[in-house]
Amino acid sequence: RSLTTDSTTSHTVLTPPLPLSKPETSKPRQSRFYPRPRPAVPNQRQALPTLPPSFGRNQVLPVPDSTRALLENIVGSFEAPIRYAFAYGSGVFEQAGYEKQKDKEDRPMLDFIFAVTHSDHWHSINMQQHPGHYPLHARVLGSSFVSKTQELSPGLWFNTFVPMKGVNIKYGVTTVDTLCADLLNWRTLYLAGRMHKPLRIIKDDARVRLTQQVNLTSALRTALLMLPESFTQRELFSAIAGISYSGDPRMVLPAENRGKVENMVSRQENQFRELYWRLAQGLPGVRWAAGSMSVEQDTSPHARAAHLKKLPEELL
């Protein structure tokens, strides 16, 4: 028994006791990555800056309550998210030669522009809700085809002759980025030129409102450069409305109404004044008194050069 015990203990290997763990120092371990990774910071989104409530109030043009309710009802029926929407044309504001009819079948078509964030996503949702708005080839090829086609100049996709809420509408879809780029730089002048004229905002966006104010001021400066020292406000509005039609190949077609600018200005003079009178008060050398139909401006080379410096880069 003793032998057995001795032999067993003789072959047993005694492991040394584990060393006492030292307290961890406060010095952090050096990272092997270079550059070192950024420390984790909680994702705290800051509130987006908002414009003052009175900024751009000249852009909000009144329409009859029945027209406003109809426009808002039509835009509100779209499930796809719309960031900015406006209506324009003879169906919203009266024009000479396009008298409003009481019969719904004879009413002018309502024109809309929708600015969205992601066009592919928007058309995908809209195709599910309103497949009949799109032609057959667009439904077959899908929303990706529509969004790619929309990217071609001037950056719009139109669905036309769409019956909604008892009227026929036409709506164009663009992105907010495309819209703001044209408003600032006049890349194509298609959207910017349309927004030189009276329109009814249905869904507003702070970024578009800011760039639209720049667009209106650019149109005012451009018209002033084309006018003499003294002129009437109607001449000013005609010059502004004619900017988008200058060089338009449609104006040489026999079927095109060459008097559309005069027809528009003659019935929408009050809306034009609301758009541009306050902006003109901030331009140096422009004298346009409240309630006055006549306008005067400084036509010296220094004043002309000041206007030229402020024009959109694509125009020069």
Side-chain angles (χ1 to χ4, degrees), residues 205-220:
D205 180 84
R207 179 184 171 194
V208 180
R209 196 193 326 168
L210 178 62
T211 53
Q212 167 64 349
Q213 204 75 338
V214 176
N215 177 46
L216 294 175
T217 307
S218 298
L220 181 57

Side-chain angles (χ1 to χ4, degrees), residues 8-295:
T8 303
T9 56
S10 62
H11 290 85
T12 301
V13 179
L14 298 176
T15 58
L18 296 175
L20 296 175
S21 59
K22 297 181 180 180
E24 295 183 358
T25 60
S26 59
K27 184 177 180 180
R29 185 179 177 181
Q30 297 292 332
S31 174
R32 296 181 180 179
F33 296 101
Y34 183 82
R36 297 178 183 178
R38 296 179 179 178
V41 178
N43 187 14
Q44 298 179 353
R45 293 186 177 181
Q46 297 181 353
L48 293 175
T50 57
L51 296 173
S54 60
F55 182 86
R57 62 176 179 172
N58 58 305
Q59 302 177 25
V60 183
L61 302 179
V63 295
D65 291 339
S66 58
T67 302
R68 177 186 56 80
L70 176 61
L71 299 177
E72 293 177 355
N73 194 15
I74 291 174
V75 174
S77 64
F78 286 86
E79 296 178 357
I82 301 172
R83 283 183 54 183
Y84 183 83
F86 68 87
Y88 64 96
S90 58
V92 182
F93 297 102
E94 188 177 357
Q95 296 183 21
Y98 298 91
E99 305 297 337
K100 290 188 176 181
Q101 303 292 334
K102 294 182 180 180
D103 189 358
K104 291 183 178 180
E105 295 181 357
D106 296 331
R107 294 180 62 177
M109 181 181 295
L110 295 177
D111 300 321
F112 295 86
I113 295 293
F114 300 155
V116 304
T117 304
H118 304 289
S119 57
D120 193 352
H121 178 249
W122 194 93
H123 287 295
S124 177
I125 297 175
N126 198 46
M127 278 186 177
Q128 295 292 327
Q129 183 187 9
H130 302 297
H133 292 188
Y134 295 83
L136 178 60
H137 70 278
R139 297 198 300 268
V140 172
L141 297 175
S143 60
S144 297
F145 165 78
V146 175
S147 62
K148 291 295 183 184
T149 306
Q150 180 183 311
E151 292 176 2
L152 302 175
S153 182
L156 276 160
W157 173 274
F158 273 103
N159 288 329
T160 60
F161 298 103
V162 176
M164 290 192 73
K165 307 298 181 182
V167 295
N168 287 326
I169 73 168
K170 175 184 71 177
Y171 63 92
V173 182
T174 187
T175 63
V176 173
D177 292 338
T178 300
L179 175 59
C180 291
D182 200 38
L183 293 176
L184 288 176
N185 304 319
W186 290 11
R187 295 173 56 184
T188 65
L189 203 58
Y190 189 92
L191 289 164
R194 175 57 264 173
M195 296 180 72
H196 291 164
K197 310 170 189 70
L199 53 89
R200 173 64 186 184
I201 299 174
I202 306 164
K203 294 193 72 172
D204 202 359
D205 180 84
R207 179 184 171 194
V208 180
R209 196 193 326 168
L210 178 62
T211 53
Q212 167 64 349
Q213 204 75 338
V214 176
N215 177 46
L216 294 175
T217 307
S218 298
L220 181 57
R221 291 181 183 276
T222 303
L224 290 173
L225 288 171
M226 297 186 295
L227 292 169
E229 184 176 1
S230 300
F231 48 90
T232 64
Q233 69 173 17
R234 176 169 291 195
E235 291 174 331
L236 173 64
F237 301 152
S238 297
I240 292 173
I243 292 174
S244 59
Y245 296 117
S246 300
D248 191 337
R250 297 177 301 172
M251 299 305 294
V252 301
L253 299 177
E256 191 67 25
N257 183 8
R258 295 179 177 84
K260 60 171 54 178
V261 171
E262 181 60 28
N263 293 341
M264 183 187 308
V265 174
S266 63
R267 297 296 179 88
Q268 300 177 21
E269 196 164 353
N270 292 333
Q271 287 84 0
F272 272 99
R273 184 182 177 90
E274 179 66 23
L275 279 174
Y276 292 102
W277 184 82
R278 292 186 183 90
L279 294 176
Q281 306 309 306
L283 296 183
V286 179
R287 296 173 295 279
W288 188 4
S292 175
M293 300 294 182
S294 60
V295 188

